[in-house]
Amino acid sequence: MYFYIILEKGLVRNMLQFELKKIFLKPVNKVLLVLLLVITLIGSFLAIRDVKYYRGDEPVLSGPLAARQLKKEQKKWEGPVTEDVLRRVIQENQAINASAETEDIGFAQKQGFADLQDLICAAFSEPGEYEPYLCDTISPDKAAKLYERRISRLKKEVSEVEEGRTGAFSQKQQDFLIHQYESLETPLYYEYAEGWKALLDSQYLPTLMIITIVIIGFFVSGIFSDEFQTRADAIFFSTKFGRNKAIFAKIKAGFLTITVLYWFVMLLFSAVILGVLGIGGAGCMIQINYSNWESMYNVTYFQEWLICMFGGYIGNLFILTFAMFVSAKSRSAVLSIAIPFVLSCVPMFLGRVPMLTDFMSYFPDMLLRINKFIGDFVFCEIGGKVFGIYSALVPCYLVLSFGLLPVMYYCYKKR
Amino acid sequence: MELKITNLTKEFGDFTAVNDLSITMRNGVYGLLGVNGAGKTTLMRMLCTLLRPTNGTITCDGKEIFAMDGEYRKILGYLPQDFGFYPDFTVQDYLLYIAAIKAVCPAVAKKRVKDLLEKVGLSKAAHKKMKKLSGGMKRRAGIAQAMLNNPNILILDEPTAGLDPNERIRFRNLISELAEDRLVLLSTHIVSDVEYIANEILLMKDGALVHRGTTEQLVATMTENVWKCYVEKREVPQLIERYKISNLKTDSHGVELRVIAKEKPISDAVLDEPVLEDVFLYYFGERVGEEHAAI
Ligand SMILES: Nc1ncnc2c1ncn2[C@@H]1O[C@H](COP(=O)(O)OP(=O)(O)OP(=O)(O)O)[C@@H](O)[C@H]1O
Ligand SMILES: [Mg+2]
């Protein structure tokens, strides 16, 4: 009996290896694998190149060279952003304005505290607007009230939209938001964080996620349907394990492919960017960057990275297991190859239709764009309590992904 | 081993592919003969649990095969008519994979793959990709695949299609060798494939068995005679129209014909011993003419 169990284990591992072989020996998949690697590297290269350092009249530096200069400049401003610091930002700004020969030169000189300036602009502009020259006119004492302004502006904003109109907040949502805002620990800590900004505050990450999902879609959508495509199904289903363990092996192979490729791409992307630009700023709250200033998620850059990666993984897992399920059910790879593309792109466009925005925020593509939505007010309500949408999406799609596995199994087994 | 088919019927829509078929098979070689569309493949697919019968039952040693599930498939070897495989696998990998899903333990599988590759003459091609094999070589890999689990029930759907004459002879020998202690059911429309190796021949027509027996028994069921005659070429079309012609050999002077008829077809025809091919033609008519000319 014991011997038999060991034997079966060996067989199961064998089957899994062969299933993986089936996937990765396909010529088109080999090409796609290389393509995925190249795209990941190009993506990280582009994200790194987006870091700029301006030198007045001289050419702009970009990439690691720019990062090094920025780090030097920003070092002077490192530390908690207190009222004093905020006053100094405005004073320094005005001093440079007075002394710099040209605007370009002035701009170059302000790079050490430009992030803090942006923050002040974001906070004191009218909601939905951004006045880039606000720091030139604001008084230092007013700027010092940055954190109070954040909360007061929110309160004004949420109460102004009339109940029942689009964009209106329910009382529960208002309470939740204000609570989140008030529990943000201030003063925020500032330090050089170009690595995390390049990684998380850019369009590259969600784009890379979509490309990854579409390419992995090619790998997994053939797992079930290829048996029929190649007409190998007759033999497959007439073998002892053809209606049980061999199907398990297929599901496992799909799961492994999704998991390994996703994490490979994401970790490579992150490692290259952080490796070149540095991991400094991991502990800064994301609100320190003006694009996340309004975020209701009180997390650090490192936590945001974890959320994006894990959430993205769940999104990938769900969309791709769904594609596998379609492949098992329809026995055609064509339909299932289209699924990742449709599920990761179409809701994004439909979401722009105001009527559909709320509905579309429950789609799994939201998980691929966490870093884009982390600054937005997207809620869900569970058991009368309001949460950020991701508190619902992540567990929900995790359960759905695993729930699909047995369904897939029985669909395929039944033929 | 006893495979018992009772009142088996398979309908596709309102078309009946297998019609109320009953037969009990034990160890030995069964040759299933029938024209295109007779229902051979449909019958075999049901025997391999790939199709559910509309009606009737199939039992293996008294147990329903669909209920036996994996226990039945464990003792089954199947070569489908349209044999599909994994194009990017090497022959060896392909066989090792099939061995794995057939629950053959890895150590045994390795040895058996090697033996079978030798038996079907593919040793040299073991590391070639499946998609690069010739048609006949693919089929040989298919035969090897069916044998991997040393099955008690071996079902081969037109295993000799695409094999060259040498291979065909080799295959026949292989089957006779394998046939000990197991049930082999093989379908074909090439009579010579089964004439000598089958213990029993099943003639299938329109989804039903019309006759079964050894070659001798089947020959005895014929109520017409076989005539050998030698005619000029221009006379052939006329004869083909009037009689069932089972064989036709052309030389520089004329044509030698085997004619199936009650009465002498022409005055200088000589009576000949009927063989299985004549029986096939006798039951299935001219529809098979082309295929025979090809042999
Ligand atoms: N899935 C199906 N749906 C509808 N009709 C089918 C199906 N499979 C087979 N048939 C029909 O059933 C009949 C028997 O087909 P089958 O393949 O069993 O014949 P066969 O004896 O194997 O023929 P061949 O010698 O050409 O292989 C044919 O008329 C075919 O058209
Ligand atoms: Mg057939």
Side-chain angles (χ1 to χ4, degrees):
Chain A
M1 184 64 202
Y2 184 63
F3 175 71
Y4 188 68
I5 289 169
I6 293 183
L7 206 91
E8 289 235 325
K9 262 193 176 163
L11 280 170
V12 166
R13 207 176 42 231
N14 242 355
M15 282 188 271
L16 177 62
Q17 278 167 3
F18 281 117
E19 283 302 336
L20 289 171
K21 249 186 181 175
K22 278 190 209 167
I23 300 174
F24 290 99
L25 280 180
K26 263 177 140 182
V28 54
N29 288 357
K30 284 187 201 166
V31 174
L32 284 172
L33 199 61
V34 174
L35 189 70
L36 186 60
L37 181 70
V38 170
I39 288 174
T40 308
L41 291 176
I42 291 179
S44 44
F45 171 76
L46 290 178
I48 290 168
R49 211 190 52 173
D50 272 2
V51 179
K52 302 277 190 230
Y53 181 75
Y54 298 90
R55 297 183 295 174
D57 298 336
E58 287 178 66
V60 179
L61 289 180
S62 60
L65 286 178
R68 198 180 311 149
Q69 293 299 326
L70 278 175
K71 194 169 187 172
K72 219 191 288 169
E73 301 270 339
Q74 290 171 359
K75 189 84 189 159
K76 299 171 200 156
W77 296 87
E78 194 176 308
V81 185
T82 57
E83 296 194 357
D84 269 355
V85 173
L86 289 163
R87 274 192 205 98
R88 252 177 53 221
V89 168
I90 301 302
Q91 286 157 358
E92 190 92 355
N93 178 56
Q94 281 160 3
I96 292 172
N97 282 351
S99 67
E101 288 162 38
T102 66
E103 201 182 326
D104 282 350
I105 292 175
F107 183 79
Q109 288 172 352
K110 295 176 194 169
Q111 284 176 99
F113 58 93
D115 287 336
L116 301 179
Q117 257 187 318
D118 288 340
L119 218 50
I120 295 170
C121 292
F124 290 94
S125 299
E126 286 309 306
E129 281 169 36
Y130 182 85
E131 295 171 41
Y133 293 104
L134 196 133
C135 288
D136 296 347
T137 52
I138 198 169
S139 77
D141 286 331
K142 193 174 174 194
K145 300 285 168 233
L146 180 79
Y147 303 116
E148 286 88 331
R149 166 74 180 179
R150 182 169 182 261
I151 294 171
S152 66
R153 200 180 84 173
L154 172 82
K155 284 182 177 162
K156 193 162 156 242
E157 191 182 346
V158 291
S159 58
E160 259 177 4
V161 193
E162 279 170 53
E163 192 97 31
R165 298 240 331 247
T166 41
F169 299 96
S170 72
Q171 190 55 49
K172 275 180 190 160
Q173 288 173 345
Q174 292 184 24
D175 295 346
F176 172 75
L177 266 180
I178 290 165
H179 173 261
Q180 289 299 100
Y181 266 47
E182 283 174 345
S183 52
L184 176 70
E185 264 184 56
T186 55
L188 295 172
Y189 188 88
Y190 177 70
E191 71 174 315
Y192 166 88
E194 291 303 319
W196 298 100
K197 280 196 230 161
L199 181 57
L200 294 171
D201 296 334
S202 76
Q203 191 56 254
Y204 296 113
L205 183 63
T207 309
L208 183 64
M209 282 211 184
I210 292 174
I211 293 173
T212 307
I213 211 172
V214 169
I215 291 184
I216 302 179
F218 275 87
F219 294 124
V220 298
S221 57
I223 294 179
F224 291 114
S225 55
D226 277 359
E227 297 292 331
F228 296 99
Q229 218 82 44
T230 56
R231 289 176 286 106
D233 58 307
I235 292 173
F236 183 85
F237 285 110
S238 59
T239 60
K240 182 176 181 203
F241 286 157
R243 283 170 197 233
N244 39 59
K245 294 204 168 69
I247 303 178
F248 269 133
K250 281 183 181 299
I251 293 175
K252 259 195 229 165
F255 183 79
L256 262 179
T257 304
I258 296 168
T259 305
V260 171
L261 285 182
Y262 172 82
W263 285 108
F264 172 76
V265 167
M266 289 306 147
L267 293 179
L268 180 66
F269 183 69
S270 306
V272 171
I273 292 178
L274 294 177
V276 172
L277 299 178
I279 57 163
C284 287
M285 299 303 286
I286 58 170
Q287 282 81 359
I288 198 72
N289 187 340
Y290 77 100
S291 62
N292 296 327
W293 175 240
E294 295 184 1
S295 176
M296 58 186 183
Y297 296 92
N298 299 332
V299 292
T300 63
Y301 266 120
F302 179 64
Q303 287 167 334
E304 185 195 354
W305 180 78
L306 285 179
I307 295 170
C308 288
M309 291 295 132
F310 188 69
Y313 173 62
I314 301 301
N316 256 261
L317 191 62
F318 173 76
I319 292 175
L320 291 167
T321 36
F322 187 69
M324 278 171 72
F325 162 72
V326 169
S327 145
K329 183 86 192 155
S330 71
R331 304 179 188 183
S332 139
V334 184
L335 200 58
S336 65
I337 280 176
I339 296 272
F341 181 76
V342 171
L343 277 185
S344 59
C345 295
V346 173
M348 181 166 61
F349 296 114
L350 291 181
R352 299 206 178 131
V353 181
M355 250 170 51
L356 296 175
T357 309
D358 276 353
F359 179 61
M360 287 298 153
S361 64
Y362 290 100
F363 274 64
D365 68 298
M366 288 286 286
L367 290 165
L368 310 180
R369 275 185 278 276
I370 294 182
N371 66 334
K372 290 275 111 188
F373 284 102
I374 205 158
D376 290 4
F377 299 151
V378 191
F379 307 97
C380 64
E381 226 178 290
I382 309 165
K385 273 192 90 172
V386 171
F387 296 94
I389 188 82
Y390 290 113
S391 313
L393 288 185
V394 171
C396 189
Y397 279 108
L398 182 66
V399 169
L400 279 178
S401 306
F402 283 98
L404 266 179
L405 300 182
V407 180
M408 192 188 304
Y409 174 79
Y410 283 105
C411 268
Y412 198 60
K413 186 182 158 105
K414 255 179 79 185
R415 309 183 358 113
Chain B
M1 177 62 51
E2 183 191 74
L3 197 60
K4 188 171 178 185
I5 300 173
T6 322
N7 302 115
L8 195 67
T9 300
K10 179 71 197 180
E11 288 164 6
F12 296 110
D14 50 13
F15 177 81
T16 310
V18 172
N19 192 0
D20 200 27
L21 190 150
S22 300
I23 184 179
T24 303
M25 293 183 276
R26 294 191 180 80
N27 285 355
V29 180
Y30 293 80
L32 186 59
L33 283 179
V35 292
N36 294 137
K40 304 183 291 293
T41 299
T42 308
L43 171 64
M44 289 180 149
R45 285 177 68 82
M46 285 191 280
L47 288 174
C48 293
T49 69
L50 294 170
L51 272 181
R52 288 254 171 193
T54 313
N55 240 317
T57 53
I58 306 168
T59 56
C60 174
D61 285 337
K63 283 180 273 182
E64 233 283 324
I65 62 167
F66 287 93
M68 283 173 79
D69 202 31
E71 282 311 298
Y72 173 72
R73 295 195 305 272
K74 186 178 154 187
I75 57 163
L76 180 72
Y78 175 44
L79 172 64
Q81 182 172 7
D82 55 345
F83 166 56
F85 47 84
Y86 310 101
D88 299 303
F89 274 20
T90 61
V91 179
Q92 174 155 323
D93 271 354
Y94 170 70
L95 292 177
L96 285 173
Y97 172 64
I98 300 294
I101 62 176
K102 284 188 167 193
V104 181
C105 86
V108 178
K110 240 183 209 161
K111 188 172 175 307
R112 205 167 284 163
V113 166
K114 192 164 169 279
D115 290 351
L116 281 167
L117 281 174
E118 229 158 74
K119 270 204 177 121
V120 299
L122 279 179
S123 293
K124 279 198 197 117
H127 297 287
K128 258 195 174 175
K129 286 207 166 172
M130 287 295 287
K131 63 181 171 193
K132 296 203 169 140
L133 298 186
S134 73
M137 287 160 100
K138 280 175 194 161
R139 196 142 286 269
R140 283 189 255 159
I143 293 164
Q145 159 281 127
M147 290 302 306
L148 278 169
N149 54 334
N150 198 12
N152 296 353
I153 299 173
L154 183 57
I155 294 181
L156 306 169
D157 202 350
E158 303 199 14
T160 54
L163 296 186
D164 63 33
N166 270 335
E167 266 318 309
R168 193 166 282 164
I169 292 167
R170 217 168 127 163
F171 169 75
R172 267 179 239 158
N173 296 339
L174 180 65
I175 293 296
S176 332
E177 191 184 317
L178 296 174
E180 278 170 35
D181 314 322
R182 75 182 97 219
L183 191 167
V184 182
L185 176 65
L186 69 99
S187 81
T188 178
H189 9 85
I190 298 162
V191 176
S192 54
D193 277 349
V194 289
E195 187 160 18
Y196 303 106
I197 55 166
N199 307 83
E200 188 161 353
I201 287 159
L202 315 172
L203 295 184
M204 194 167 178
K205 190 176 186 175
D206 298 331
L209 289 181
V210 282
H211 272 289
R212 54 181 288 196
T214 59
T215 306
E216 295 75 38
Q217 286 168 337
L218 287 176
V219 165
T221 63
M222 267 178 83
T223 55
E224 292 182 13
N225 298 315
V226 177
W227 306 87
K228 207 156 77 175
C229 48
Y230 198 80
V231 297
E232 280 183 46
K233 263 185 193 152
R234 57 184 170 76
E235 294 172 70
V236 174
Q238 203 192 354
L239 282 168
I240 286 182
E241 234 168 70
R242 287 189 32 209
Y243 301 104
K244 292 173 178 171
I245 309 290
S246 102
N247 206 344
L248 188 145
K249 226 186 282 170
T250 311
D251 61 30
S252 52
H253 304 293
V255 184
E256 195 192 277
L257 294 176
R258 282 177 80 80
V259 180
I260 296 167
K262 269 210 165 69
E263 311 290 332
K264 230 180 207 191
I266 53 171
S267 55
D268 54 357
V270 243
L271 213 53
D272 198 6
E273 276 300 306
V275 293
L276 191 58
E277 227 169 275
D278 304 318
V279 178
F280 191 87
L281 194 75
Y282 169 70
Y283 283 111
F284 299 135
E286 286 99 332
R287 286 165 68 185
V288 84
E290 270 173 20
E291 304 231 1
H292 274 243
I295 305 169

